[in-house]
Amino acid sequence: MHPLIMGSLSWIEYQQRLQDEAIVFIPCGALEQHGPHLPLGTDALLSTSVAQSVAEKIDGIVAPTVSYGYKSQPKSGGGQHFPGTTSLDGNSLSQLIRDIVRELARQGGTKIAVVNGHYENQWFLTEGIDLAIRDVGSASTLRVMRLEYWEFLTPDILAKVFLEGFPGFALEHAAVIETSLMAHYHPNLVRLDLIPDVAAAEFPPYDLFPQCSDWVHVSGVLSSAKSASVEKGELMADHIAKGIATALKQEFPSLVSVPDMVLNQKA
Ligand code: ZN
Ligand code: MN
């Protein structure tokens, strides 16, 4: 039994962890094409792995992953036309997060971290958290941090990973960051030999609906993952986990179980 995983704890163990003011993590992803070299569950797998690695540092609890996400957009995820890309309406995702956050709060959870791994989820997660906060009322001490894990990649780390310049997070779909992190966390799910060698996508400064499938390379990638490596994955994973742990310690200050030594180590 893994003590960090909420679904593996008994209610008695869980209650004790809550009384110890453990942070509860909600990883959020998507079921979405990620080129020929990465699995459909990439966003959910990565948000889960990131949440678990942070939870290990600070004695947190990882709730079951929200494995479906908001609709894939051509300019950030390739679009809805790929087989396997299976998405929620925005309202469904918001209501799902609202229910989960409100339920955790009802049980006495006051510290929640929503770890997002799918670009298109951002505002719908924000909406769900906002509605949950409204539901529990102003007397509650519930506090929620929402984050995209890639935002913890600082310019110095990005410079080490992208020797020829960083193309921006939106074009990083199924590209260097996700492929390297998957090679680090889930090496048996990555096919490095199948990485497409395509030029970075160029998009107009607007969206069109219905979505235009011809805006995106047939492989589904928005820029090439050719320079991905397990070493880059390890570097980024380490930096992200330390960055998130430090932010949580700062924003949830009564967190006593974090040894400063661990957090202050340089990547
Ligand atoms: Zn992704
Ligand atoms: Mn995605």
Side-chain angles (χ1 to χ4, degrees), residues 32 34 42-43 117 173 178:
E32 177 188 44
H34 274 73
T42 292
D43 290 352
H173 177 72
E178 288 187 316

Side-chain angles (χ1 to χ4, degrees), residues 177-255:
I177 293 175
E178 288 187 316
T179 305
S180 299
L181 286 172
M182 283 295 285
H184 170 66
Y185 282 123
H186 301 283
N188 56 339
L189 296 179
V190 182
R191 288 289 304 272
L192 293 175
D193 55 316
L194 294 182
I195 293 174
D197 197 3
V198 300
E202 287 181 40
F203 295 112
Y206 50 81
D207 298 315
L208 277 180
F209 301 93
Q211 293 182 350
C212 297
S213 57
D214 58 359
W215 282 12
V216 177
H217 191 264
V218 290
S219 67
V221 306
L222 303 185
S223 59
S224 180
K226 278 284 178 198
S227 66
S229 72
V230 66
E231 292 79 16
K232 288 179 179 178
E234 186 180 356
L235 174 75
M236 288 189 284
D238 191 54
H239 190 79
I240 288 167
K242 283 177 184 158
I244 296 174
T246 301
L248 286 168
K249 191 190 175 196
Q250 189 180 319
E251 301 300 343
F252 297 121
S254 65
L255 187 69

